[in-house]
Amino acid sequence: MAKEKGLTPQSQDFSEWYLEVIQKAELADYGPVRGTIVVRPYGYAIWENIQQVLDRMFKETGHQNAYFPLFIPMSFLRKEAEHVEGFSPELAVVTHAGGEELEEPLAVRPTSETVIGYMWSKWIRSWRDLPQLLNQWGNVVRWEMRTRPFLRTSEFLWQEGHTAHATREEAEEEVRRMLSIYARLAREYAAIPVIEGLKTEKEKFAGAVYTTTIEALMKDGKALQAGTSHYLGENFARAFDIKFQDRDLQVKYVHTTSWGLSWRFIGAIIMTHGDDRGLVLPPRLAPIQVVIVPIYKDESRERVLEAAQGLRQALQAKGLRVHLDDRDQHTPGYKFHEWELKGVPFRVELGPKDLEQGQAVLASRLGGKETLPLAALPEALPGKLVAFHEELYRRALAFREAHTRKVDTYEAFKEAVQEGFALAFHCGDKACERLIQEETTATTRCVPFEAEPEEGFCVRCGRPSAYGKRVVFAKAY
Amino acid sequence: MAKEKGLTPQSQDFSEWYLEVIQKAELADYGPVRGTIVVRPYGYAIWENIQQVLDRMFKETGHQNAYFPLFIPMSFLRKEAEHVEGFSPELAVVTHAGGEELEEPLAVRPTSETVIGYMWSKWIRSWRDLPQLLNQWGNVVRWEMRTRPFLRTSEFLWQEGHTAHATREEAEEEVRRMLSIYARLAREYAAIPVIEGLKTEKEKFAGAVYTTTIEALMKDGKALQAGTSHYLGENFARAFDIKFQDRDLQVKYVHTTSWGLSWRFIGAIIMTHGDDRGLVLPPRLAPIQVVIVPIYKDESRERVLEAAQGLRQALQAKGLRVHLDDRDQHTPGYKFHEWELKGVPFRVELGPKDLEQGQAVLASRLGGKETLPLAALPEALPGKLVAFHEELYRRALAFREAHTRKVDTYEAFKEAVQEGFALAFHCGDKACERLIQEETTATTRCVPFEAEPEEGFCVRCGRPSAYGKRVVFAKAY
Ligand SMILES: [Zn+2]
Ligand SMILES: [Zn+2]
């Protein structure tokens, strides 16, 4: 069974490693319908922790949750020209319901701007009705050709925020506020360093004026877009006639935003921190932060388990998420292996000899073991979890720095995107960007907000740079 | 504006009152697609509170959340004969996706027994894999002909629990355990008295061996099924080949259960407690438990608002959900009216004269006002909220008792179901039950678990009673 849990090494086949670790750590399984997954309890618990963190931050910034319908009339999607162009190839369409053919086919929502715009046009009359600060937790469907668990699935869970404002300034502030919340989730909870920046015109959301993003670098050198926040301008307001009477008595269109983060964030966690032994979960999002593995023979079973239960209680009293693995049918070695695979940050080993000496062995998923007085564990572990988080972040940041290169020639560019981020100048021309993608499979990830002002010439075509700074390029999920 | 918020009295047209209060209290609005609703923040906050209570109780009883796909192959639904017969008339069907016609049409899940059964057949091998104790929060679609906000909508949010066990006994215990949790939610959180009982064969879930239910009585004398818990026996295990090797080395089918509670529970809250002035929300589920309405003129504005903010903080420190209505554009009278409509249990009125005397006026949504020292409110309100809950429950129970009649003739039966529950004997014959429904529109709600053993003759056909006790009949939502 230990062998059965063995993983393909990352260096041998990262993609295979990813698929195996998801299955073997019981995060998810494949659903019966093409491109769908089943998120199993251990994977769903990570999602619940992400939800809890985001939901709190959304509410602290004045947002409220609501729920809009799954089915959207096809005619709604056609009201915003770029939006329908972007999403119609991926739509799932309901044509029959209640035993009859529908008069108008219904799209299963790929995102909810249109239906929310329709409702806002009924609800918003005056500046007093603004801002509208809404969020929705739910499922959406995008029928993609190539799917991959968590990263690209026919159906996925996410949150989609939608806000409407009286002014452009206020809406743009909101866009950045929400992107910052995503960046905080990544850095402070998932221990993932991210670059905040602007998407190019080619890569922006279908229907947006502009899109902002957080971009992370995975261990195989590919980028992952982990959350996006869009300024939609008056595009949806005009498409759905969302107007209000302002303080100055003028009737104006609202300015809207939307922002979303999905369970692909779990994919980012897996591929940022995992290693050849399995997952490595960031403590603040880990379903189990500490696992206690009691080691006993028949004669010592009772007293070891009793001590383990006492320890569990003491750690829970400190607010830690603890699991006591008291299964009789498995050896301690089997259990060590399994909890390493599942990425639990700390393991406490507790045997009869330890007990006699009032101590226990503490093993970190990042390596290293130490022997500590049993009574000291409840005090020590919270701090050790903080240090674990910081070490994870430090390692991920060091990896990213080692895999980021400033490049000024197309040859150097092609090499750089084999292993990570390439920072290069670009002319801003969509056609040129498309050629880069065709020739290298790399795409622009973002124009980073925090970057030195720098002028230069497009890495591919040599025309002057359009952005006043280098653009981040990479192959991407 | 105050007039605009006026409601049709319940006694004049209960159904109209229900639709109006939902709109005017901003619980929900109609979606663009037939039979769908949009749940607005105030309504969604009630659902979040319900979720929180149930989710905690589910986890305390060992359940874990997971997520299964929205789309189910049509062939899956056909594997359990009764199941497909029950659900196929209500299915929404996806026939096209990604720009192409699908080879096999996909049902949008009306419930997830089939897809979960399919996954269990892969996951379950041994008695060690049991029990499986899963729950899913999500949306389902049932294309019903007659819809009504919260009560019967084309799409609705719910939770669906699914468990698999090694023995019939264990599964049956689970069925009752989860029904008890629903009953606790109703009684202890929503202040709704419910009758726990068994559905008749005619009324059971399509695919179940038997269905248990909690039944509540609405203020118009109609019953509402507020949650159900099903014993599915080996039906789905046989349909999906879910077998395990037991301790005795024999290969056996698992016994499964499912149980669900949806946002129709919000409908039950509205129709159990609401009155002609609007909603009356049970404190433990109310999004706002106490609203503070400051009363001021220009010169007193600052000091009144400051005191109101202090009070808000002091109440929040006691763990109360408090809202300070500091909108300048509305009069206190307008605000009183609005928060009554929205069913907030307590209102604190705070004016400059109150302030001088260090006091405030506390008004209960159930009637009555009292003047209390400002400093006493934080201590007093938690207890008053408990008393409010108990009074709500007492009133609802008194209403139900006044609208429940034991009847032994069909004439008396017909009268009784005009205004509430009729307790009558029934022969147990489905055809007879169907005739009662045709002739009176009343249906069996349940065979109550807690009822005197009593023998008698069917209220319609005169044959001997089949259940050893009276059955609860009513017209129902
Ligand atoms: Zn160029
Ligand atoms: Zn009969």
Side-chain angles (χ1 to χ4, degrees):
Chain A
M1 189 75 175
K3 185 140 182 302
E4 199 180 293
K5 299 254 177 187
L7 292 170
T8 298
Q10 291 185 335
S11 57
Q12 185 183 315
D13 186 342
F14 190 83
S15 169
E16 182 57 28
W17 170 86
Y18 178 76
L19 298 178
E20 284 177 9
V21 77
I22 285 173
Q23 286 272 338
K24 292 186 178 175
E26 298 189 344
L27 295 179
D29 200 350
Y30 298 101
V33 171
R34 195 193 142 280
T36 63
I37 58 170
V38 173
V39 181
R40 303 185 69 172
Y42 195 62
Y44 198 83
I46 300 174
W47 182 239
E48 287 183 300
N49 289 339
I50 293 169
Q51 284 188 300
Q52 208 173 23
V53 171
L54 284 181
D55 202 69
R56 181 174 47 73
M57 294 200 278
F58 294 162
K59 284 175 177 159
E60 281 169 2
T61 46
H63 302 83
Q64 294 181 299
N65 289 328
Y67 190 77
F68 293 83
L70 175 70
F71 295 153
I72 300 179
M74 289 293 281
S75 57
F76 278 30
L77 289 161
R78 291 189 206 105
K79 291 197 182 196
E80 213 290 333
E82 285 187 13
H83 194 64
V84 69
E85 198 190 316
F87 285 103
S88 65
E90 297 175 1
L91 292 178
V93 183
V94 174
T95 54
H96 292 72
E100 291 183 359
E101 187 167 355
L102 296 170
E103 284 181 26
E104 183 182 4
L106 300 172
V108 183
R109 66 180 165 221
T111 179
S112 301
E113 279 76 6
T114 56
V115 62
I116 294 178
Y118 171 82
M119 298 310 296
W120 273 339
S121 72
K122 295 168 177 274
W123 295 341
I124 298 172
R125 289 281 168 272
S126 145
W127 60 271
R128 290 196 177 88
D129 301 321
L130 297 173
Q132 291 276 329
L133 303 174
L134 299 179
N135 178 60
Q136 172 169 290
W137 291 99
N139 53 349
V140 286
V141 169
R142 297 182 189 173
W143 209 260
E144 313 241 21
M145 285 313 296
R146 293 170 56 196
T147 59
R148 197 162 186 75
F150 292 118
L151 303 178
R152 204 173 287 279
T153 45
S154 305
E155 178 195 3
F156 58 87
L157 293 187
W158 75 339
Q159 62 67 218
E160 47 180 317
H162 296 269
T163 69
H165 306 264
T167 67
R168 173 173 186 127
E169 292 66 39
E170 209 186 294
E172 293 200 70
E173 267 172 38
E174 169 79 6
V175 169
R176 290 294 293 271
R177 182 182 304 119
M178 302 325 284
L179 193 73
S180 303
I181 282 178
Y182 293 156
R184 275 188 63 193
L185 172 73
R187 294 175 189 137
E188 297 175 22
Y189 293 87
I192 299 176
V194 289
I195 299 176
E196 293 170 74
L198 189 72
K199 285 284 180 191
T200 60
E201 279 294 302
K202 173 174 174 291
E203 297 288 327
K204 74 177 187 189
F205 175 76
V209 173
Y210 63 76
T211 288
T212 65
T213 181
I214 54 170
E215 298 285 328
L217 187 63
M218 304 297 98
K219 275 195 169 173
D220 61 347
K222 284 169 86 171
L224 189 140
Q225 170 184 306
T228 49
S229 180
H230 319 291
Y231 172 60
L232 306 174
E234 297 179 355
N235 293 352
F236 286 87
R238 287 178 189 273
F240 288 90
D241 202 36
I242 318 170
K243 286 185 286 206
F244 70 103
Q245 189 174 47
D246 206 349
R247 283 182 170 84
D248 61 11
L249 302 182
Q250 303 260 330
V251 173
K252 302 173 184 173
Y253 286 110
V254 298
H255 293 256
T256 67
T257 84
S258 67
W259 23 279
L261 185 142
S262 79
W263 70 23
R264 95 189 312 241
F265 197 82
I266 296 174
I269 292 171
I270 299 169
M271 292 193 292
T272 300
H273 304 305
D275 63 22
D276 286 348
R277 288 184 294 146
L279 301 174
V280 178
L281 294 181
R284 288 169 192 154
L285 299 177
I288 300 172
Q289 298 170 313
V290 183
V291 63
I292 304 170
V293 179
I295 301 166
Y296 50 79
K297 301 222 165 77
D298 282 351
E299 56 81 26
S300 54
R301 184 172 181 278
E302 200 171 334
R303 83 203 129 91
V304 170
L305 279 182
E306 197 179 315
Q309 283 154 5
L311 179 62
R312 173 176 58 185
Q313 234 170 357
L315 295 177
Q316 281 172 340
K318 290 284 172 188
L320 303 184
R321 296 188 286 272
V322 190
H323 178 71
L324 167 57
D325 186 352
D326 57 4
R327 292 174 296 175
D328 278 328
Q329 73 266 30
H330 295 304
T331 63
Y334 177 97
K335 293 178 184 178
F336 293 176
H337 191 84
E338 179 167 318
W339 296 113
E340 279 175 3
L341 175 65
K342 290 194 159 190
V344 174
F346 286 102
R347 174 180 78 226
V348 176
E349 307 167 11
L350 189 60
K353 277 182 205 135
D354 298 314
L355 250 190
E356 269 166 39
Q357 293 167 42
Q359 65 188 31
V361 173
L362 183 68
S364 164
R365 181 61 180 79
L366 292 177
K369 276 192 183 196
E370 57 183 323
T371 301
L372 285 171
L374 207 47
L377 281 171
E379 284 304 322
L381 268 166
K384 287 183 182 290
L385 286 162
V386 172
F388 189 103
H389 170 90
E390 285 166 3
E391 174 62 14
L392 264 191
Y393 187 82
R394 196 196 60 71
R395 291 186 185 191
L397 187 60
F399 176 87
R400 189 182 81 187
E401 284 169 357
H403 291 78
T404 299
R405 280 171 59 193
K406 286 193 184 182
V407 291
D408 292 310
T409 69
Y410 205 34
E411 281 318 298
F413 176 94
K414 284 177 187 167
E415 273 171 36
V417 296
Q418 296 302 327
E419 56 173 38
F421 285 146
L423 307 182
F425 294 109
H426 191 259
C427 61
D429 179 21
K430 261 193 199 179
C432 175
E433 219 177 306
R434 237 176 254 119
L435 283 169
I436 292 178
Q437 183 172 8
E438 280 169 24
E439 290 161 7
T440 70
T441 74
T443 50
T444 55
R445 304 319 305 154
C446 68
V447 185
F449 294 133
E450 302 207 353
E452 299 297 303
E454 214 182 334
E455 291 300 337
F457 300 94
C458 177
V459 73
R460 193 192 145 275
C461 71
R463 282 176 285 179
S465 156
Y467 303 103
K469 55 176 80 165
R470 288 173 188 268
V471 176
V472 180
F473 285 86
K475 302 188 180 194
Y477 280 99
Chain B
M1 189 75 177
K3 185 142 183 300
E4 199 180 292
K5 299 253 179 187
L7 291 170
T8 298
Q10 291 185 333
S11 57
Q12 188 183 313
D13 187 342
F14 191 84
S15 169
E16 182 58 25
W17 170 87
Y18 178 76
L19 297 178
E20 284 176 12
V21 78
I22 285 173
Q23 286 272 337
K24 293 185 176 177
E26 298 188 343
L27 294 179
D29 200 351
Y30 298 101
V33 170
R34 193 194 143 281
T36 64
I37 58 171
V38 173
V39 180
R40 303 185 69 173
Y42 195 62
Y44 198 82
I46 300 174
W47 181 239
E48 287 183 300
N49 289 338
I50 292 169
Q51 284 188 298
Q52 208 172 23
V53 171
L54 284 182
D55 202 68
R56 182 175 45 75
M57 293 199 280
F58 294 162
K59 284 174 179 161
E60 282 169 1
T61 45
H63 302 82
Q64 294 182 299
N65 289 327
Y67 190 76
F68 293 83
L70 175 69
F71 295 153
I72 299 179
M74 289 293 282
S75 57
F76 278 30
L77 289 161
R78 291 190 206 104
K79 290 196 182 194
E80 213 291 332
E82 285 187 13
H83 194 63
V84 69
E85 198 190 317
F87 284 103
S88 65
E90 297 176 1
L91 292 179
V93 182
V94 174
T95 55
H96 292 71
E100 293 183 359
E101 186 167 354
L102 296 170
E103 282 182 28
E104 183 181 5
L106 299 172
V108 183
R109 65 178 165 222
T111 179
S112 301
E113 279 76 6
T114 55
V115 63
I116 294 178
Y118 171 82
M119 297 310 296
W120 273 339
S121 72
K122 295 168 177 277
W123 296 340
I124 298 172
R125 290 280 168 274
S126 143
W127 61 270
R128 290 196 178 88
D129 301 320
L130 298 174
Q132 290 277 329
L133 303 174
L134 299 178
N135 178 59
Q136 173 169 289
W137 291 98
N139 54 348
V140 286
V141 169
R142 297 181 188 174
W143 210 260
E144 311 242 21
M145 286 313 296
R146 294 169 57 196
T147 60
R148 198 163 187 74
F150 292 118
L151 303 179
R152 206 173 286 277
T153 45
S154 305
E155 178 195 2
F156 57 87
L157 294 187
W158 76 339
Q159 61 67 219
E160 46 180 319
H162 296 270
T163 69
H165 306 263
T167 66
R168 173 175 187 125
E169 293 65 40
E170 209 186 294
E172 293 200 70
E173 266 172 38
E174 170 79 5
V175 169
R176 288 296 292 273
R177 181 182 304 117
M178 302 324 284
L179 192 75
S180 302
I181 283 179
Y182 292 156
R184 275 188 64 192
L185 172 74
R187 293 175 190 138
E188 296 175 23
Y189 293 87
I192 299 175
V194 289
I195 299 176
E196 293 170 72
L198 189 72
K199 286 283 183 193
T200 60
E201 279 292 303
K202 173 173 173 293
E203 298 288 327
K204 75 176 186 189
F205 175 76
V209 173
Y210 63 77
T211 288
T212 65
T213 181
I214 55 170
E215 298 285 328
L217 187 62
M218 305 296 100
K219 273 194 169 176
D220 62 348
K222 283 168 88 171
L224 189 141
Q225 171 184 307
T228 47
S229 181
H230 318 291
Y231 172 60
L232 307 174
E234 297 178 355
N235 293 351
F236 286 86
R238 287 177 188 274
F240 287 89
D241 201 33
I242 318 169
K243 287 186 285 206
F244 70 103
Q245 189 175 47
D246 206 349
R247 282 183 172 83
D248 61 12
L249 303 182
Q250 302 262 330
V251 174
K252 303 173 184 173
Y253 286 110
V254 298
H255 293 256
T256 68
T257 83
S258 67
W259 26 278
L261 185 142
S262 80
W263 69 23
R264 94 188 315 240
F265 197 82
I266 297 175
I269 292 172
I270 299 168
M271 294 194 290
T272 299
H273 303 305
D275 63 22
D276 285 348
R277 287 183 295 147
L279 300 174
V280 178
L281 294 181
R284 288 168 193 156
L285 299 177
I288 301 172
Q289 296 171 314
V290 183
V291 62
I292 304 170
V293 179
I295 300 165
Y296 51 79
K297 301 224 165 74
D298 282 351
E299 56 81 25
S300 55
R301 184 173 180 279
E302 201 173 331
R303 78 201 132 92
V304 171
L305 279 183
E306 198 180 313
Q309 282 153 5
L311 179 62
R312 174 177 56 186
Q313 235 171 355
L315 295 177
Q316 280 171 339
K318 290 283 173 189
L320 303 184
R321 296 188 285 272
V322 190
H323 178 70
L324 167 57
D325 187 352
D326 56 5
R327 292 174 296 176
D328 279 330
Q329 73 266 31
H330 295 304
T331 63
Y334 176 96
K335 293 177 184 177
F336 293 177
H337 192 84
E338 179 166 317
W339 296 114
E340 279 174 5
L341 175 64
K342 289 195 161 190
V344 175
F346 286 102
R347 173 178 79 226
V348 177
E349 306 167 11
L350 188 60
K353 275 181 207 139
D354 298 314
L355 250 191
E356 271 166 37
Q357 293 168 42
Q359 64 189 29
V361 173
L362 183 69
S364 164
R365 181 60 182 81
L366 291 177
K369 277 191 183 195
E370 57 183 325
T371 302
L372 285 171
L374 207 46
L377 281 170
E379 283 303 323
L381 268 165
K384 285 182 182 291
L385 285 162
V386 172
F388 189 103
H389 171 90
E390 284 167 2
E391 174 62 13
L392 264 191
Y393 187 82
R394 196 196 59 71
R395 290 185 187 192
L397 187 60
F399 177 87
R400 188 183 83 187
E401 283 170 356
H403 291 78
T404 299
R405 279 171 59 193
K406 287 192 182 181
V407 291
D408 293 309
T409 70
Y410 205 35
E411 280 319 298
F413 176 94
K414 286 175 186 168
E415 273 171 36
V417 296
Q418 295 303 325
E419 54 174 39
F421 285 148
L423 307 182
F425 294 108
H426 191 260
C427 60
D429 178 21
K430 263 195 198 179
C432 176
E433 219 176 306
R434 237 177 254 119
L435 283 170
I436 291 177
Q437 183 172 9
E438 280 168 26
E439 289 161 6
T440 69
T441 75
T443 50
T444 54
R445 304 318 307 154
C446 68
V447 185
F449 293 133
E450 301 208 352
E452 299 297 304
E454 215 181 333
E455 293 297 340
F457 299 95
C458 177
V459 72
R460 193 193 146 275
C461 73
R463 281 177 285 177
S465 157
Y467 303 103
K469 54 176 82 166
R470 287 173 188 267
V471 176
V472 181
F473 284 86
K475 300 188 180 195
Y477 280 99

